[in-house]
Each structure stands twice: as C-alpha cells, then as structure tokens.
Amino acid sequence: MSGSSTNGTSTTGATGATASTAGSARLAAISAVTNYKPSAPALDFTKTPAAELYASNIFSKAVMKERLPKNVFKSVLKTIETGAKLDPSIADIVASAMKDWAIERGATHYAHVFYPLTGQTAEKHDSFLAPDGDGGAVTEFSGRQLIQGEPDGSSFPSGGIRATFEARGYTIWDVTSPAYILENPNGTTLCIPTAFVSWTGEALDKKTPVLRSMQALNKQVQRVLKLFGHTDGALVSSTAGPEQEYFLIDRNFFFARPDLLNAGRTLFGAKPPKGQEFEDHYFGAIPERVLACMLEVERELYKLGIPIKTRHNEVAPAQYEIAPVYETANQANDHQHMVMLTLKRVAEKYGMTCLTHEKPFAGVNGSGKHLNWSMGSATQGNLLDPGDTPHDNAKFLLLCAAVIRAVDKFQGLLRAVVATASNDHRLGANEAPPAIISIFLGDQLTDVFEQIKAAGGASKSLPKGTLTVGVDVLPPLPKDAGDRNRTSPFAFTGNRFEFRAVGASQSIAGPLVAMNTIIAESVDYVATRLEKDTAGDPSKLNGALQKLLQEIITQHGRIIFNGDGYSEAWHKEAEKRGLLNRKTTPEALVALKDKAVEELFEKYGVLTKRELESRYDIYVEQYCKTVRVEAKLTIEIARTLIYPAAVRYLNQLASAGANLKALGQNFCTGTIEKISELVKSLQESTAKLETELDKHGFADLTAEAHHFCDAVVPAMVAVRTAADGLEGYVADDLWPLPTYQEMLFIK
Ligand code: ADP
Ligand code: MG
C-alpha cells in the first residue's frame, strides 16, 4: 500500500470496496494533510484588497447608475427600494447594459437561476450568441429574455400543481436581487435571480412566497408605524442573517463512505474514544488547510457582494461556522444558497468535502442554520431594537408582543417549516434545540412583560404615574441580552429573534415565509385593535397599548421559556402549558394542513390553498424518499461491506484457533463467540429492515411517511447497532469504512 494521495474514487461505492479500502483512504488522507500545499497560487489580498473585490461581480446599483440612462436607473431603483411595480418597458435597456457588462467580464452565457421546491438552486444556461443569418453570429440579450425564461421544469416537484403534459414553467426576473457573474476556469456566466411559476401563475419555487410574504409584512407594519406618527411609508423589509454550520472532512474519506456520498450522513460508525467532550474544538485555532479554504470561500463570496463577517470552529471536531451581516430576507435567501454552493465547490479544491447535513456524525453535535430575523426600514432602522427612549420602547414592545403572539399561535407551522428527515436527528432527538417551539426573552425583557401582565389587575390601586408601567416609565432596555440560551429554538438576542431550529442543509426560504406571514398576521391584529381603540385620537394610544400588551402576554405568555430547553423537566412543563411537541417530520408536517394555516396564507396572499397542499405533498414525499435511500444504503453497506469484513475476521480467528490447537495450545474463543453473535444480529436486523422497506399499499402518502418513521428508521438503527458493535471487534486492517476517529480528527 502506498501513502500517495489519490482522489480516492477507486474506492467509491460498496461494490468496489476491498478490505484495504479503509487503510488506503486513511493513508491518502494523512498524506493529504501532512503534505498539504495549496494547488492554486496563494491568494494575495495585498494585490486585490477585499474591499476592492467586494461586489465586483454583481450588477449592483452603482454599476446600474453608471451604465443606465438616468430615468431607467431611477425606475429600477424605485422598484428595488420601495417595492413599486416594475415598468417592463425599461427591460430592453437594462438587458442591453447587463449584457455588455457581462461580456466585458468574459461571459458567454446567461442563466436564469431559480429555487425549486427541492430546496436546491437550479439554473438554465443560454448562450448570448445568435446566428446572424449570414453564417456569422451576434450576441443578443433582449428585455424579454431578461424578464422571462421558460425552462422545461417538468421534472421539478410541483406537488400536482402542474401535470407533465402542461409542463410550462416560467422564470421571472427578480429585480430586487442583483444579477451576478459566476466564474468558472473556462469562462463566466451572467446569472439572473428569478422566481419560478407555473403558467397559471402558481408558485413552483421558494422565492415567490418569500417576496409575497415580505410584501404582506410591509403592509401591516406600515399601519403600526402610522399609529406612532411615522407616515413616510419607507418600505419595511424583513431582514435575515443566517449562520451556517458545516463540517469539512478529507475527500478521501468521503469517497470511501458510500453513506456519506449518497445520503450526506454516516449510517454507521462507532463512537470514537475521544469526541467533543473536551470542548477543545469550539473557537479553537482553525487548521491551516481549513483556513485556506475559508479564505477562498470568503473571497469568492465577497466578489458576489455577499457580506461574510464571521468564521470560527464549532463545537464538534471538524465542524465550522460561517455567517454574513444581515440583509433583506430575499437577498439573504439568495445569498445563503450561494454560500452553500461556494462552500461545497471551494472545499473540493482543497481536497475536502463540505457536509451541510444536519447530522453527519452521530454522537457529536449536528449542524443548524441559526436564522436571525428582524424587520426595519431606511427611516426607522431596526424595529426590534429596544431603543433608548420610552416612545421607542412602546413601539418595540408592541412589535415584540406581536412576535410572541405569532409564535404561540402558529407554533405548529414554525415546527413544520423545519421538518425534514435530516433535521429529525437534531430536533426531537437528544439534541438542542428541542422540537417544542418556545421563546427565550432573557430575564430583563421577561420581567418587563411580567410587569405589564401584573399591572392590569393592580391598576386601580396604583398611582396614576405607574399605570403606564411597561411604556412611559420603562427604563432603557438592554441592547445586548447579557445572558444567552443555546437551547432555545427561538431566542430574542438583543435586537432580533434567532430561529435556531432551522437545519443546516435547508433553504431558509420556508422559515422566512412562515415568520414573515405569521408576524404580518399578528401585526394586522394589533394594528386593527389599536386603530379601533384609539379611533384616531393619538392621546388614547398609551392606554390602548397597555391593555393590548397585557392581553397578549396573558394569552400567549406560555410560549416564553428561559430555562434549559433540553431538560426532561421542560418537556413535562411544556406539556402542561399545552405547547406542541412534534418530534418527527410526519407528525410536524400536518400543521400545513391546519385550517388556520391555510387561511393565514390565503388571507395575506402568500400561498393559495393549492400551493400549500402541493407543498405538503412534496415535503412528505421528500421525507419518504430520503429515508428510503438511507434504508437501501444501510442494507447494501451491511451486506456487502460489513458482513464480509466480519466473516473474514472470523475466518482468520478460526484458522488461528485451529492452528494453535494443532500445536497443542489453548485458544480462547470468546471473541469468536461475540463476533458470531453480532453477525447474527446484523443479518437478522438487515432482513427485518428489508421486510419493512418492502411493505406497500399504504392508504396515502401520510401513512407511508408514518411507516418510514415508525418502522423503517428504528429498523435502520438496529442494523447500525450490530454493525457498530462489530467495529469494536473486527481487526482494524479489515474494517471497510473510514472510522469516526479518522474522519473527524485527520484534518
Ligand atoms: P451569534 O453566534 O452570537 O449568534 P453571530 O455573529 O454568529 O452571532 O451571528 C449573528 C447574526 O445575526 C449575523 O448574521 C448578523 O448579521 C445577524 N443579525 C444582526 N442583526 C440583525 C437584524 N437586525 N436582522 C437580522 N439579522 C441580524
Ligand atoms: Mg447565533
């Protein structure tokens, strides 16, 4: 065996694996780490400082200002900044400027980029070249080509919205998210973010509902602002800052693990002697190869105007995090897709694979995508910033109460939008955050709401001045919640809420749509109440607000929990409070069928009944497909990799025993017996898994999903238990899969 580094593809897949697979992957990885040299010339940030690179590949406002006629630029800007309807007559001019700009940057093609319900990014490339009729060609890019594309999207999930015979799907230019240049060693492509809809106008994608929900939120928040005397109408946008957790492991290991390759997570693997118990990885020094990779990832993202801010080691060995400065929800969503793609693409250049799966390795921390959320406008700033003055506090407390009400009222929906087969290994498993949705407010803010709640009952006996406790006499609220609570799924963190239950591999679109819409509904509720109670008289606002806040906190305060969300005690307490605890995806997704949820999305024009139904079907189907693939892989790996290794080792032990016996020596057969037992258990559990997987004829998709959840998943766990047991006995040189120890610690 040589230690020379290959890309490891020869060991791909179960069938090609031999007894030496693990050994060679391990040696190749060690070699890759110890001999690490960047394959490309080192990046030189002194030549092109990051600030100069920043946004150099986007068709930004600055570029448009320079290249578009003044009136056209103004018109585009108006749409971007105020949400005004796009004037289609300007499209030809914008397209032409965009084309020239892109061709100067080496573009040969343009692509409409869209976000189908698979949660992935999709793109269709078209050449700028068109035959000129005289045997030559000209470059061409019309306004129509910019505004609308028609990919044959019939293979994307539509949940029955669109039958294949009516396969038409349109991509529509989203002017609020800038076009950009995607670089490739052999040229560049002009990418245009688009919405993807059916010919009947139904959303087939994740972007359209985000845009609709932002519009709904803006409309409702304007009403509250008006009550406080802010009538400039500046567009209120929801803002998002998603923190992405991920693992990086050597590619040699990745290709030697059919489970990682096909399912994105390990289906087998005994716990290593050392895991994360020393907490020595979190915020530790970043390994050189990893840091080199991060620097290039960030450089690529800077070019696209993606404001990456933070990088650090995460809790688990080989786990890291990348986080941007927040942006408007729609942009943050597009950019988040680019972050995931770029991490994966660049990691390969450094001989590593980026895993965004929620739980690639059992027994160490999984990966989430903490979604920081707030709302604000150019004139108002961040509306969830408590501010320094009582007046700001009142507005803040009102909006904060609206969020509390929304989260309590629609906890089922929030749980549903983070429900995936892969995220089940975090939520509802023994990991934070739990599947119970609750809000962490921090001691000080909780105390303020407690006062508001109490003040009502005692108001008569209180002197006049203190009647307004919670509004006028409030002390400035803390900008930074001094304390932190990592176990809360939905935490107030000083000037925003952080939804921590989102999975690392997920698109943030679904969670954003849910948050924007439920909060729009709550803001609608409070605005309607206050408009009625004040009847146009601003002097009545304080009193009306007091009453409303008190009411909300009394009705919805049960959702607030500042303790350890991980503890058994909380699970009991939450049940007492009547909070939902939906541990698995099939249980959680039913919220999409709630009448209240259906009405919510219809009322605010975010999703029609049909669009919502289609999403339920698609997500349930995705769950079934994911578990089915994992189950098939489990069977394949158990039978063709692990069983043969165990039998080979048994054979070696048996012949050693026979030989020793021939020499008149004793041979203890304890290990043989133990391995035989585990092999038997492996065979039986594999057979059982196969039986469960073969079951058919379920009443509907929902019933099938429950079968996968209740029967197939546990059957997979049983196979794993036997196999992981064998890993502790079979000779290391025969073990066919790279071990946890190797994958997590060789870097
Ligand atoms: P922590 O690890 O303490 O949660 P990070 O710095 O890793 O903090 O991430 C905080 C995230 O919150 C960043 O992406 C940041 O941009 C985002 N954020 C800050 N303010 C807002 C806001 N007003 N709206 C949305 N996201 C915000
Ligand atoms: Mg965070």
Side-chain angles (χ1 to χ4, degrees):
M1 240 183 300
S2 97
S4 73
S5 173
T6 66
N7 68 5
T9 41
S10 60
T11 57
T12 306
T15 44
T18 65
S20 63
T21 301
S24 59
R26 180 187 312 157
L27 291 176
I30 293 171
S31 161
V33 175
T34 49
N35 299 321
Y36 168 69
K37 276 190 205 73
S39 59
L43 303 179
D44 187 350
F45 284 93
T46 57
K47 277 214 189 93
T48 341
E52 225 169 88
L53 276 176
Y54 193 78
S56 57
N57 275 350
I58 61 174
F59 195 66
S60 61
K61 283 182 204 162
V63 174
M64 285 195 271
K65 188 170 181 190
E66 192 188 301
R67 290 179 176 247
L68 293 177
K70 217 174 183 162
N71 62 327
V72 175
F73 173 64
K74 267 194 175 158
S75 167
V76 175
L77 206 61
K78 195 166 166 220
T79 302
I80 298 174
E81 287 179 353
T82 69
K85 234 182 163 58
L86 178 75
D87 171 9
S89 70
I90 60 162
D92 275 328
I93 301 167
V94 179
S96 157
M98 214 186 253
K99 183 195 77 177
D100 294 344
W101 172 80
I103 288 175
E104 281 166 31
R105 277 159 185 74
T108 54
H109 289 66
Y110 68 92
H112 276 201
V113 176
F114 55 105
Y115 307 95
L117 293 171
T118 54
Q120 311 290 315
T121 315
E123 45 194 60
K124 183 188 175 218
H125 296 220
D126 283 288
S127 171
F128 283 126
L129 280 189
D132 65 2
D134 294 323
V138 290
T139 59
E140 180 187 273
F141 186 50
S142 68
R144 206 190 129 74
Q145 285 168 313
L146 166 64
I147 286 190
Q148 195 178 86
E150 195 192 331
D152 178 15
S154 55
S155 300
F156 291 108
S158 69
I161 281 185
R162 197 187 34 164
T164 27
F165 60 85
E166 46 178 43
R168 255 173 227 276
Y170 295 106
T171 50
I172 303 169
W173 179 33
D174 171 16
V175 66
T176 64
S177 187
Y180 57 92
I181 294 282
L182 195 64
E183 293 180 16
N184 176 278
N186 286 333
T188 70
T189 303
L190 168 67
C191 293
I192 300 151
T194 60
F196 181 44
V197 298
S198 74
W199 69 280
T200 47
E202 279 160 319
L204 298 172
D205 69 343
K206 295 204 167 237
K207 181 191 264 285
T208 309
V210 171
L211 291 169
R212 291 178 185 161
S213 70
M214 288 176 75
Q215 203 169 305
L217 185 70
N218 173 48
K219 190 169 160 201
Q220 299 308 327
V221 178
Q222 293 297 346
R223 291 170 60 201
V224 162
L225 291 179
K226 198 168 156 210
L227 284 162
F228 282 88
H230 308 300
T231 50
D232 63 19
L235 182 73
V236 171
S237 289
S238 56
T239 51
E243 305 163 41
Q244 173 78 50
E245 293 179 336
Y246 60 97
F247 281 80
L248 284 175
I249 62 163
D250 191 279
R251 258 161 80 81
N252 297 289
F253 296 141
F254 178 73
F255 284 113
R257 297 272 325 206
D259 46 3
L260 275 181
L261 184 67
N262 293 293
R265 75 173 177 111
T266 53
L267 299 167
F268 297 95
K271 227 176 133 85
K274 177 177 183 268
Q276 63 189 43
E277 53 275 83
F278 293 106
E279 286 158 354
D280 48 358
H281 189 69
Y282 193 45
F283 282 88
I286 301 171
E288 182 173 286
R289 180 164 61 146
V290 171
L291 183 56
C293 171
M294 287 176 171
L295 279 159
E296 184 159 345
V297 167
E298 290 164 11
R299 189 185 167 92
E300 290 304 305
L301 294 172
Y302 287 156
K303 289 189 208 163
L304 297 169
I306 300 176
I308 296 302
K309 188 77 178 165
T310 316
R311 61 166 104 106
H312 60 78
N313 283 3
E314 259 303 326
V315 173
Q319 191 187 27
Y320 309 93
E321 180 180 300
I322 181 169
V325 174
Y326 69 93
E327 301 175 275
T328 64
N330 179 42
Q331 281 235 350
N333 179 39
D334 288 0
H335 283 169
Q336 220 289 308
H337 279 269
M338 292 302 303
V339 168
M340 287 196 283
L341 286 177
T342 307
L343 276 170
K344 293 194 176 190
R345 194 162 47 80
V346 174
E348 280 181 27
K349 283 178 76 173
Y350 291 84
M352 295 184 289
T353 296
C354 172
L355 306 171
T356 52
H357 193 283
E358 282 73 6
K359 195 74 178 175
F361 303 99
V364 297
N365 264 37
S367 297
K369 184 139 51 198
H370 294 174
L371 181 54
N372 295 271
W373 182 97
S374 188
M375 50 191 162
S377 75
T379 52
Q380 288 293 305
N382 180 0
L383 289 166
L384 289 177
D385 192 328
D388 295 325
T389 61
H391 190 70
D392 286 336
N393 280 355
K395 192 173 61 197
F396 162 76
L397 286 173
L398 178 66
L399 292 172
C400 196
V403 174
I404 291 169
R405 178 183 173 278
V407 173
D408 184 44
K409 194 170 170 197
F410 292 104
Q411 29 175 310
L413 175 61
L414 284 176
R415 175 64 185 90
V417 294
V418 294
T420 61
S422 49
N423 213 13
D424 277 4
H425 300 285
R426 292 173 68 229
L427 317 173
N430 291 318
E431 182 157 341
I436 308 163
I437 301 290
S438 67
I439 298 182
F440 169 84
L441 276 188
D443 293 341
Q444 195 156 354
L445 203 50
T446 304
D447 182 56
V448 168
F449 277 109
E450 287 296 328
Q451 288 180 51
I452 293 170
K453 189 172 165 185
S459 65
K460 278 190 199 109
S461 58
L462 283 175
K464 206 164 179 271
T466 43
L467 231 181
T468 47
V469 65
V471 184
D472 279 356
V473 297
L474 255 180
L477 294 173
K479 279 211 191 318
D480 233 340
D483 43 3
R484 291 224 163 211
N485 182 327
R486 289 268 159 202
T487 66
S488 176
F490 206 97
F492 182 69
T493 48
N495 58 4
R496 62 190 184 266
F497 282 93
E498 184 172 343
F499 190 19
R500 301 208 183 104
V502 182
S505 69
Q506 248 192 292
S507 158
I508 58 171
L512 284 174
V513 168
M515 283 197 269
N516 290 344
T517 315
I518 64 177
I519 291 160
E521 191 269 350
S522 257
V523 174
D524 179 2
Y525 172 81
V526 299
T528 306
R529 274 287 303 270
L530 293 177
E531 281 161 5
K532 189 165 148 269
D533 293 355
T534 57
D537 178 358
S539 72
K540 288 188 182 155
L541 182 62
N542 241 354
L545 197 87
Q546 285 275 318
K547 202 165 140 246
L548 180 61
L549 288 179
Q550 192 184 26
E551 226 176 83
I552 291 179
I553 205 65
T554 307
Q555 276 172 24
H556 300 284
R558 62 171 186 167
I559 198 79
I560 298 166
F561 175 65
N562 293 324
D564 178 5
Y566 190 38
S567 68
E568 204 34 58
W570 167 234
H571 287 222
K572 290 212 181 81
E573 165 70 17
E575 199 179 331
K576 251 199 257 159
R577 294 190 191 181
L579 301 180
L580 298 173
N581 185 1
R582 294 176 171 165
K583 292 195 171 168
T584 64
T585 296
E587 277 174 90
L589 284 176
V590 296
L592 300 183
K593 288 177 162 271
D594 281 358
K595 194 84 199 130
V597 168
E598 193 187 298
E599 283 167 7
L600 167 83
F601 284 128
E602 288 246 50
K603 178 166 182 193
Y604 295 96
V606 175
L607 290 171
T608 63
K609 185 164 185 267
R610 216 158 95 99
E611 286 171 334
L612 184 64
E613 277 169 358
S614 75
R615 275 152 183 82
Y616 176 81
D617 288 349
I618 288 167
Y619 299 149
V620 174
E621 200 174 276
Q622 271 168 0
Y623 176 82
C624 294
K625 280 182 183 163
T626 305
V627 179
R628 186 180 294 116
V629 166
E630 289 186 349
K632 283 183 177 168
L633 275 167
T634 300
I635 295 169
E636 181 186 89
I637 294 170
R639 287 200 177 137
T640 65
L641 286 170
I642 294 170
Y643 177 77
V647 171
R648 275 189 198 115
Y649 189 47
L650 269 182
N651 196 30
Q652 285 183 6
L653 288 176
S655 55
N659 290 344
L660 284 170
K661 208 171 167 198
L663 293 174
Q665 299 289 315
N666 279 333
F667 182 74
C668 172
T669 55
T671 302
I672 294 188
E673 280 154 25
K674 182 70 199 171
I675 294 177
S676 300
E677 216 176 88
L678 286 165
V679 165
K680 182 163 174 270
S681 157
L682 183 76
Q683 283 175 307
E684 286 171 0
S685 54
T686 308
K688 167 96 167 61
L689 174 58
E690 198 167 46
T691 309
E692 294 300 345
L693 193 58
D694 280 348
K695 286 194 177 145
H696 289 296
F698 300 99
D700 55 20
L701 216 51
T702 306
E704 190 174 350
H706 279 287
H707 171 72
F708 273 105
C709 182
D710 302 336
V712 177
V713 170
M716 273 165 58
V717 173
V719 178
R720 177 179 188 150
T721 305
D724 290 358
L726 282 167
E727 193 181 327
Y729 282 93
V730 171
D732 186 70
D733 61 329
L734 292 178
W735 192 252
L737 299 167
T739 64
Y740 269 35
Q741 186 159 279
E742 291 157 359
M743 290 185 285
L744 292 172
F745 291 99
I746 299 179
K747 54 191 171 202

